[in-house]
Amino acid sequence: MPEFQNILTELKKDIIELAKLTFKNYKNEAETDVREFLTNSEEKLKRWTQLLAKKELTQEEFATLTKGLKDSAEMKLLKQAGLTKIRLDEFKGSLINLINDTVFNFL
Amino acid sequence: MLRIQKHYLRNYSFLLKPLLLLLLIISSCSPLIASYNEHVYRELTSLKVETNALIGKATNDYTNPETEIEQLDKDLQKLHEYIKGLPKNAETTKMMDIMINGDGRWEGIKKVWKSSGKLSKAATGEFQAEIAEGFNDMLQLESRKIK
């Protein structure tokens, strides 16, 4: 019985490590993506406003470009939602391997 | 089976059962998102190039490349329908929908091009960058899907 407890404890520790590693990396990636989007949007707005002031862009073109920022934000959120699902599927795959390895190591 | 394996199986079978059950439960859960699709990836890459090339012509009158615009519309719709038909592909489907119908994406660009007759040089450059970014987001998601 103590061996059973040891293996379960080991398995639990490995699963927690796996979860931490998988989702910590993903969290960092998602944060970077959001930060990049905000910085880029600010730069774009500045540039478009300057182009509008110099009459290199028309009002209509400027309006379409700014509407595009909303489209861009939506697409990035959808991309992140998709990436979360991919991470969860990958996590499930790693979990199966981990349990498999534990079972076969034990044998 | 080796004698040593039989020995371990006999002695530790109480542990194997819950672990195998756990393994079975996890394996039986279907994936949350569609797997990588090479056709989608290839078509997205090709449409990114075609859309950008066409926007590059927007400094000319809208009526000049009208046939090309119609063809691109058709190609975009075809891929949208294909993507929509793939199970568990909600994110890519919605992204493609925004790319085609978004006010600041292809539909919005077409509208301003049509109503103005032609676009300014600065606008075509900015729109090309925006379209490329949108396609890149879709390509990044597709390429990260499990193969």
Side-chain angles (χ1 to χ4, degrees), chain A residues 1 3-4 7-8 11 15 26 29 33 37 40 44 47-48 51 56-58 60-62 64-65 67-76 78-90 92-93 95-97 99-100 102-103 106-107, chain B residues 4-5 8-9 12 14-16 18-20 22-23 26-33 90-91 94-96 98-99 102-105 108-109 111-112 115-116 118-123 126-127 130 133-138 140-141 144-146:
Chain A
M1 210 59 177
E3 282 202 42
F4 173 68
I7 286 181
L8 273 190
L11 193 62
I15 291 173
Y26 173 68
E29 217 175 283
D33 211 29
F37 173 73
N40 288 344
K44 281 176 190 173
R47 191 172 63 244
W48 297 339
L51 287 169
E56 285 180 39
L57 280 182
T58 65
E60 223 182 343
E61 288 165 349
F62 179 80
T64 308
L65 282 167
K67 280 177 199 162
L69 286 180
K70 184 184 72 85
D71 292 329
S72 186
E74 270 182 58
M75 286 185 78
K76 285 189 192 301
L78 284 161
K79 183 179 88 177
Q80 288 304 335
L83 289 175
T84 305
K85 287 184 180 176
I86 294 168
R87 283 283 166 155
L88 284 167
D89 282 339
E90 281 171 348
K92 200 182 77 182
L95 203 58
I96 291 169
N97 289 338
I99 297 170
N100 255 334
T102 309
V103 170
F106 185 60
L107 280 177
Chain B
I4 185 95
Q5 284 179 317
Y8 278 112
L9 273 176
Y12 299 114
F14 66 94
L15 173 62
L16 280 176
L19 282 178
L20 288 174
L22 185 61
L23 203 61
I26 300 169
S27 319
S28 65
C29 304
S30 60
L32 296 168
I33 193 163
E91 288 77 18
K94 186 79 185 103
M95 285 171 93
M96 193 66 193
I98 295 170
M99 178 54 84
D103 290 334
R105 289 290 179 265
I109 297 167
K111 262 187 200 161
V112 67
S115 66
S116 318
K118 52 179 84 170
L119 298 180
S120 66
K121 199 170 183 321
E126 295 297 332
F127 284 135
E130 290 302 295
E133 192 182 317
F135 273 111
N136 286 345
D137 283 333
M138 294 176 76
Q140 276 165 22
L141 177 60
R144 293 280 291 273
K145 286 179 181 173
I146 296 167

Side-chain angles (χ1 to χ4, degrees), chain A residues 3-14:
Chain A
E3 282 202 42
F4 173 68
Q5 273 308 324
N6 287 346
I7 286 181
L8 273 190
T9 312
E10 186 68 23
L11 193 62
K12 200 172 139 188
K13 199 183 85 192
D14 288 347

Side-chain angles (χ1 to χ4, degrees), chain B residues 80-95:
Chain B
H80 190 206
E81 283 304 312
Y82 179 81
I83 287 172
K84 216 195 289 183
L86 297 171
K88 299 193 175 175
N89 212 20
E91 288 77 18
T92 312
T93 304
K94 186 79 185 103
M95 285 171 93

Side-chain angles (χ1 to χ4, degrees), chain B residues 37-82:
Chain B
N37 185 305
E38 202 185 328
H39 173 71
V40 172
Y41 191 86
R42 212 180 317 117
E43 284 299 305
L44 283 173
T45 313
S46 157
L47 286 170
K48 175 186 163 184
V49 175
E50 281 176 39
T51 314
N52 267 339
L54 205 45
I55 294 171
K57 294 180 180 174
T59 46
N60 297 314
D61 198 81
Y62 182 85
T63 49
N64 286 350
E66 209 159 12
T67 329
E68 284 175 70
I69 294 170
E70 278 169 18
Q71 186 56 50
L72 178 66
D73 280 341
K74 245 189 247 172
D75 292 344
L76 286 165
Q77 288 299 341
K78 268 196 246 172
L79 184 63
H80 190 206
E81 283 304 312
Y82 179 81

